[in-house]
Amino acid sequence: MKATEQLAKVVSGGGVGRVIVMKSGSGPVEIEKVIERLTAMGFDAHRSSGAERTVIGAVGGNASAIDPRELRVLAGVKEVLKISKPYKLVSRSFREEPTLIEVGDVVIGGPEVVLMAGPCGVESEEQIHIVAEHVAKAGAKVLRGGAFKPRSSPYSFQGLGGEGLRYLRAAAEAHGLKTISEVMDSSQLELMSEYVDIFQVGARNMQNFALLKALGRQRQPVLLKRGLSATIEEWLMSAEYIMAGGNHDVILCERGIRTFERHSRNTFDISAFPIVKKLSHLPVIGDPSHAIGIRDKVAPLARAAVAAGADGLLIEVHHKPEEALSDGPQSLFPEQFETLVAQLRQIAPAFDRSIG
Ligand code: PEP
Ligand code: MN
């Protein structure tokens, strides 16, 4: 590669991708031909079919070397555009409409603000059942609960592992909920895939690229938390890793970033919601619990997130937070969660959203 090309690549942060926009009447044969052509040219072709149009993203390889005329002449091609942002598949240029992620009958990214709630960690069969019952009754659709916990201290509760996953699944099934749990290492994927509907990538693992690649190779949805000190662009690049592997079901989660402020555990970046919604088609949800770290201040942040456009919320709830093995001080009592949901039901319609 020539020095100037190399520089251009660095400046554009990973090369220029291309988006091939198909004509509205184009059929599967024409689409397949374009994909074949791109693959023969050495690119990874990613297809996105919306209500209005199908687009094919060409990434990897040297996409900037594509002569757009070679593609424009193919049947069914309407136009060939450049994506100069470093993230390609994640960007709004690849997909105009919001991505809807279906987890059974739960749809994330649509008009409903999806509530995911439960304890920080699964601690016992009894605990997760009690909490599941409360959050399901209040309106949550997804039960959270870590079985592998990324703790700052090696001496803190590390999670129940496989046993925790079994309890989580059973409690969720008993109350008609889906499950989400954190995966810390790709070696856990196989076991976890039997028990979880959504894989959670924790803030500390946002740039664990080996894990992101492994998540890209499988097909279950992934909730990607923003890293403690990650810029929005770095966060979107991590989502790009998962999508580049072929898994397009990525949910972004703003969980607070580290700033100089000490009155809260982190600083909830409320700006992230409208900014990311503009840059990307992926759903974005808010985690006010880890953002503020203080129980009685979780609700105001949750309300603000919904007002700012969050597609869902991830909230820690525990029936006995004073006895919780992790994150007790930020866990809501079940009644507090119920009150919050009632408030969200009033707020959401003002923005054409609903709470299930
Ligand atoms: C969690 O959800 O319990 C958790 C550990 O979150 P984070 O990765 O955002 O710190
Ligand atoms: Mn937690």
Side-chain angles (χ1 to χ4, degrees):
M1 196 187 286
K2 279 193 229 136
T4 44
E5 277 174 25
Q6 223 155 15
L7 181 64
K9 203 156 181 163
V10 171
V11 171
S12 71
V16 180
R18 298 279 178 175
V19 164
I20 292 88
V21 183
M22 301 299 291
K23 289 179 186 153
S24 57
S26 61
V29 177
E30 289 160 333
I31 293 168
E32 216 31 67
K33 276 262 174 318
V34 174
I35 293 177
E36 257 172 42
R37 185 87 190 93
L38 290 169
T39 312
M41 289 162 105
F43 303 107
D44 286 335
H46 291 258
R47 177 183 166 159
S48 159
S49 296
E52 297 287 314
R53 57 175 202 175
T54 289
V55 306
I56 301 158
V59 294
N62 186 6
S64 52
I66 294 183
D67 181 345
R69 287 170 303 183
E70 270 189 61
L71 296 163
R72 269 189 207 121
V73 295
L74 297 178
V77 171
K78 185 171 172 221
E79 52 187 335
V80 180
L81 307 170
K82 267 188 197 169
I83 315 181
S84 47
K85 294 247 167 49
Y87 43 86
K88 321 282 180 202
L89 306 173
V90 162
S91 97
R92 278 271 179 196
S93 333
F94 175 59
R95 197 179 154 83
E96 275 178 341
E97 300 119 90
T99 282
L100 303 182
I101 296 177
E102 289 174 21
V103 185
D105 56 354
V106 178
V107 181
I108 301 155
E112 185 182 328
V113 177
V114 175
L115 302 179
M116 308 182 185
C120 178
V122 180
E123 297 166 1
S124 70
E125 194 171 8
E126 191 198 6
Q127 172 240 23
I128 195 71
H129 269 277
I130 295 173
V131 179
E133 184 176 1
H134 281 297
V135 299
K137 213 172 86 209
K141 293 291 170 67
V142 182
L143 181 64
R144 64 151 290 149
F148 299 103
K149 295 302 303 172
R151 306 305 302 281
S152 302
S153 164
Y155 309 115
S156 302
F157 174 60
Q158 303 286 310
L160 297 183
E163 193 187 351
L165 292 172
R166 280 197 300 281
Y167 298 157
L168 177 73
R169 183 91 227 166
E173 275 176 11
H175 300 286
L177 298 166
K178 307 292 179 221
T179 58
I180 180 166
S181 198
E182 177 164 354
V183 56
M184 285 174 60
D185 187 272
S186 55
S187 63
Q188 297 158 349
L189 280 173
E190 202 179 321
L191 168 73
M192 288 188 74
S193 65
E194 282 182 47
Y195 301 100
V196 307
D197 296 303
I198 305 171
F199 285 116
Q200 176 176 324
V201 175
R204 290 155 194 82
N205 262 322
M206 189 204 82
Q207 286 189 318
N208 178 342
F209 300 117
L211 178 61
L212 300 178
K213 282 183 184 173
L215 286 161
R217 287 192 292 268
Q218 58 82 52
R219 289 294 168 269
Q220 275 171 248
V222 178
L223 180 137
L224 178 66
K225 288 214 179 182
R226 181 175 180 182
L228 278 78
S229 312
T231 63
I232 287 176
E233 189 164 295
E234 286 164 340
W235 184 24
L236 296 180
M237 289 308 291
S238 289
E240 184 80 12
Y241 260 91
I242 302 169
M243 290 189 74
N247 184 358
H248 290 196
D249 285 350
V250 181
I251 305 156
L252 298 162
C253 177
E254 161 61 39
R255 48 77 75 203
I257 47 175
R258 187 165 282 182
T259 68
F260 46 82
E261 185 49 63
R262 289 290 161 264
H263 277 85
S264 52
R265 186 174 177 185
N266 292 290
T267 297
F268 199 34
D269 183 9
I270 202 83
S271 322
F273 295 98
I275 292 173
V276 173
K277 285 266 153 201
K278 177 102 183 156
L279 298 174
S280 175
H281 51 87
L282 294 174
V284 195
I285 76 157
D287 172 350
S289 309
H290 291 86
I292 193 107
I294 311 158
R295 179 178 309 127
D296 60 354
K297 295 178 182 64
V298 168
L301 293 202
R303 298 190 297 250
V306 170
D311 294 301
L313 292 170
L314 182 69
I315 297 182
E316 288 185 340
V317 178
H318 199 295
H319 66 303
K320 283 185 187 163
E322 62 289 347
E323 290 174 22
L325 298 179
S326 59
D327 286 347
Q330 68 193 31
S331 300
L332 297 186
F333 286 100
E335 308 72 55
Q336 289 178 305
F337 180 68
E338 212 178 298
T339 305
L340 170 62
V341 179
Q343 293 168 342
L344 297 176
R345 286 207 166 101
Q346 289 191 281
I347 294 172
F351 311 101
D352 298 322
R353 308 297 294 264
S354 62
I355 307 284

